[in-house]
Amino acid sequence: MPDATRYVPPDGDLDDLREAARGCHGCDLYRHATQTVFGEGPADAQVVLVGEQPGDQEDREGHPFVGPAGRLLDRALAEAGIDRDAVYVTNAVKHFKFVERGKRRIHAQPGRTEIVACAPWFEAEMRIVRPRLVVCLGSIAAKAILGQSFRVTAQRGKLISTEEYEVIATVHPSAVLRAPDRTEAYSAFVEDLRAARSMFPTGLPGTGG
Ligand code: URA
Ligand code: SF4
């Protein structure tokens, strides 16, 4: 099965990775998407946030979490005391997967093949950033990092140790937007982000505290 490996430069910084990822043909998603949406944030960030894949607006603008889910995420991060500028924000899959309904492009869930194909990019990002904590936003990200058997519903907000970093999984901000009780879903989401923030009692660099 082809994957992104042969497109990932063996060394270099985040800008080199981002540049190389523009030309990735590691799976078929590049064919219909506008552009690769790579991770963004400080190379020395202690915290990484990982989503599923860019959405419609991210695909057009070329930046992660700038659409409706991103706006909710920004608000929740601020409420949890996390400065978005201090964290590295990326996605498990770096191209937008969608189906066309008339003029609209509707999000389609990435499959196992695409998630596995794109993993070398995330691994390369983590080799450079070397975070202490990775926050998985939603089950696609959580399964990509913690394995297929991981269940966000059972283990959200709990600290999980891996060899490279600690992990906390929570729901995807889009799921908060779609929740029947949005207020409750939003509070629970902020609560999970507070759990992440509490790993850094003296503050995150860039938070001013
Ligand atoms: N949803 C994601 O998972 N990532 C984005 O960048 C935007 C929406
Ligand atoms: Fe490459 Fe990932 Fe895009 Fe597939 S989704 S083409 S593996 S960057």
Side-chain angles (χ1 to χ4, degrees):
M1 202 94 78
D3 73 1
T5 305
R6 69 193 188 90
Y7 300 93
V8 179
D11 45 37
D13 60 15
L14 288 170
D15 288 336
D16 297 322
L17 286 187
R18 190 173 295 113
E19 188 56 36
R22 287 169 181 275
C24 184
H25 294 181
C27 73
D28 284 339
L29 293 185
Y30 76 92
R31 292 178 189 274
H32 305 289
T34 309
Q35 57 191 317
T36 309
V37 180
F38 208 69
E40 290 179 357
D44 61 353
Q46 304 224 42
V47 177
V48 166
L49 301 185
V50 53
E52 180 192 292
Q53 60 160 334
D56 179 74
Q57 206 167 320
E58 288 79 14
D59 172 77
R60 294 174 201 277
E61 295 183 26
H63 304 289
F65 282 108
V66 292
R71 283 192 290 278
L72 184 133
L73 176 64
D74 286 350
R75 194 152 63 84
L77 285 172
E79 230 169 282
I82 299 172
D83 178 357
R84 174 158 170 175
D85 294 337
V87 303
Y88 186 82
V89 180
T90 191
N91 285 296
V93 172
K94 280 150 173 80
H95 274 105
F96 179 37
K97 183 176 181 179
F98 58 92
V99 289
E100 271 168 312
R101 297 263 164 75
K103 282 189 179 149
R104 291 185 63 205
R105 304 189 301 169
I106 313 290
H107 163 277
Q109 193 148 306
R112 211 47 216 150
T113 314
E114 292 137 356
I115 294 164
V116 169
C118 211
W121 287 118
F122 181 75
E123 287 157 15
E125 288 174 296
M126 294 310 98
R127 281 197 295 275
I128 292 170
V129 179
R130 302 178 144 277
R132 270 186 62 199
L133 175 68
V134 172
V135 180
C136 299
L137 303 171
S139 85
I140 295 281
K143 284 172 194 261
I145 288 158
L146 296 166
Q148 280 294 94
S149 60
F150 186 83
R151 295 285 175 270
V152 171
T153 40
Q155 295 181 78
R156 65 180 292 179
K158 298 203 180 104
L159 205 59
I160 296 146
S161 296
T162 72
E163 269 174 41
E164 293 97 359
Y165 35 67
E166 309 290 319
V167 181
I168 287 180
T170 183
V171 296
H172 195 282
S174 299
V176 176
L177 290 171
R178 286 193 312 263
D181 187 340
R182 210 161 135 174
T183 310
E184 187 186 298
Y186 179 75
S187 306
F189 182 53
V190 172
E191 210 41 57
D192 290 345
L193 295 176
R194 284 209 177 98
R197 174 64 178 76
S198 71
M199 255 188 76
F200 304 89
T202 59
L204 284 165
T207 57

